[in-house]
Amino acid sequence: MPSLFDPIELGAIHAPNRILMAPLTRGRATREHVPTPIMADYYAQRASAGLVISEATGISRQGLGWPYAPGLWTDEQTAAWQPVTKAVHDAGGRIIAQLWHMGRIVHPDFLDGEKPVSSSATTAPGQAHTYAGKQPYVEARQIDVAEIPSLLDDDERATRNAIAAGFDGVQLHAANGYLIDQFLRDGANSRGDRYGGTPENRIRLLVEVVERIASVAGADRTAVRLSPNGDSQGVIDSNPESVFVPAARALDAIGIAFLELRELAPNGTFGSTTQPKVSPAIREAFGRPLVLNQDFQHDDAQAVLDSGLADAVAFGRTFLANPDLPERFRRRATLNPDVVATWYSQGPEGYVDYPALEDESEAA
Ligand SMILES: Cc1cc2nc3c(=O)[nH]c(=O)nc-3n(C[C@H](O)[C@H](O)[C@H](O)COP(=O)(O)O)c2cc1C
């Protein structure tokens, strides 16, 4: 069985190790959602990941409702990503862009007062992060079938921009209760048309978006992230295997580079659930590289490769706080803990100042 330190081909992307950086929203772009120079430093510090998956990046104004999160729908945003991807490449790394439409999670403050869109007219539980602080979510407007083509166009434009910006590929964010997930899971989707009801109908938008993205980036540079079990921002399915296994089969048929699953466990440290994991069934249905995430450390990540359940593991909070995570694992070094207060704060603190091992020995 492979080691975490063995290389892997993720479609057309050669990853020199199987320790991936999970997508992490950090809120260091401008208010106009333009990447900033400090983001190049942050990502370059983490270039030793087998592959860096960028923070979620808006495909359109309609789809982005997170303060200071970056986008990929304007020329200015695209140009500002170029130094970021170049810095990662110059540091010997690889980076793909995670493409994001938040659906009902977008607060009207980001939309000049208009309602956000979703699969159905539902309201997410809890409160939105906005420039005016936390505010309750509002009821979404059910997206009309006639609007789907322009949604696909937005995905296509963002993919084109990602490639122009120098990304090695893209990952569709179809997880965590955002727009695609709002279509996938029956807890949020009560549509009566061909995008709702049966699992086949609920995966239709996912498949259409992935096909459109792949037509631009190439299927072998297109990845997908799903969160099949548990509750994500009020989105949950009554029978996860019934929808996520056919979804995985459809993605396999398209020939995507890899599938990443964020799964919750009963004792999770960042969300938990009693719904069983779907990854064993997805492993059977999906013949391409499978990446698992959530709550992994060195030993249990190696164990999951040993078990044959996954080909690589993505690390979120540990990569956030340890820019040299693969080297720390290799040396079995102590890990920096992440600081929650600076997850989404602006500025360098808690962003580019987590020390690498060398910095620590210099300081000692
Ligand atoms: C600060 C922060 C930001 C995150 N942003 C994203 C994101 O932009 N896209 C995404 O798919 N998941 C996001 N996540 C989820 C992580 O990718 C990952 O699934 C989660 O941290 C669990 O993995 P871990 O146990 O290795 O930290 C975020 C998590 C954190 C802590």
Side-chain angles (χ1 to χ4, degrees):
M1 282 298 161
S3 148
L4 283 169
F5 303 101
D6 286 340
I8 182 170
E9 307 306 318
L10 299 170
I13 301 168
H14 174 79
N17 64 59
R18 294 162 187 245
I19 302 164
L20 274 48
M21 179 174 165
L24 294 163
T25 292
R26 303 305 312 275
R28 263 76 174 184
T30 70
R31 208 172 160 126
E32 287 71 45
H33 309 293
V34 178
T36 56
I38 199 173
M39 290 166 60
D41 299 339
Y42 164 78
Y43 281 112
Q45 287 175 347
R46 288 159 180 76
S48 65
L51 175 66
V52 174
I53 305 170
S54 84
E55 65 205 280
T57 300
I59 60 163
S60 61
R61 212 172 71 88
Q62 181 196 61
L64 187 55
W66 193 282
Y68 305 105
L72 260 172
W73 69 88
T74 70
D75 290 345
E76 188 187 5
Q77 292 162 351
T78 304
W81 272 113
Q82 279 167 359
V84 180
T85 62
K86 181 174 187 308
V88 173
H89 292 150
D90 288 350
R94 302 132 296 277
I95 180 168
I96 62 174
Q98 191 188 45
L99 302 185
W100 202 20
H101 190 306
M102 297 169 66
R104 70 181 190 177
I105 298 297
V106 181
H107 190 272
D109 270 13
F110 292 90
L111 303 172
D112 292 334
E114 276 182 34
K115 282 183 162 201
V117 296
S118 185
S119 53
S120 303
T122 59
T123 310
Q127 298 196 306
H129 294 248
T130 75
Y131 291 112
K134 294 224 175 162
Q135 300 189 57
Y137 291 113
V138 305
E139 189 184 74
R141 174 176 70 75
Q142 173 166 323
I143 196 167
D144 197 87
V145 174
E147 296 172 83
I148 303 275
S150 75
L151 180 66
L152 299 179
D153 289 346
D154 289 345
D155 278 296
E156 177 177 336
R157 180 184 54 206
T159 306
R160 216 174 276 294
N161 288 344
I163 300 304
F167 283 102
D168 298 291
V170 296
Q171 180 187 64
L172 176 67
H173 194 346
N176 300 356
Y178 296 109
L179 183 67
I180 306 287
D181 205 20
Q182 291 160 27
F183 274 82
L184 285 170
R185 299 203 255 180
D186 61 8
N189 183 343
S190 55
R191 300 177 73 96
D193 61 13
R194 65 183 195 277
Y195 291 94
T198 63
E200 188 190 359
N201 283 351
R202 283 182 277 128
I203 68 174
R204 190 178 309 282
L205 182 65
L206 169 75
V207 168
E208 289 180 354
V209 171
V210 173
E211 282 176 342
R212 182 64 80 86
I213 290 173
S215 75
V216 176
D220 57 1
R221 292 186 183 275
T222 300
V224 174
R225 178 175 238 220
L226 299 172
S227 52
N229 75 337
D231 179 307
S232 303
Q233 311 198 72
V235 175
I236 187 160
D237 199 83
S238 58
N239 182 359
E241 280 202 18
S242 73
V243 62
F244 286 101
V245 170
R249 226 175 259 127
L251 295 172
D252 188 61
I254 295 172
I256 63 168
F258 69 93
L259 177 59
E260 185 199 1
L261 304 179
R262 176 189 184 181
E263 290 191 292
L264 301 178
N267 57 351
T269 64
F270 189 38
S272 62
T273 185
T274 53
Q275 270 193 341
K277 292 189 173 181
V278 189
S279 46
I282 288 180
R283 183 64 158 168
E284 299 292 316
F286 185 78
R288 301 172 191 282
L290 187 65
V291 180
L292 295 187
N293 168 254
Q294 180 99 11
D295 283 316
F296 282 101
Q297 299 298 332
H298 184 166
D299 288 333
D300 51 9
Q302 182 57 55
V304 86
L305 298 195
D306 292 344
S307 72
L309 260 180
D311 302 294
V313 175
F315 297 85
R317 289 161 293 170
T318 40
F319 234 126
L320 186 159
N322 296 275
D324 53 349
L325 188 65
E327 185 58 21
R328 283 185 190 249
F329 279 171
R330 203 186 298 274
R331 293 201 219 166
R332 296 212 165 260
T334 312
L335 300 182
N336 304 318
D338 65 299
V339 179
V340 178
T342 50
W343 276 2
Y344 308 121
S345 60
Q346 283 74 63
E349 196 194 339
Y351 191 54
V352 289
D353 56 358
Y354 285 106
L357 286 171
E358 293 169 15
D359 306 338
E360 284 180 351
S361 50
E362 273 167 24

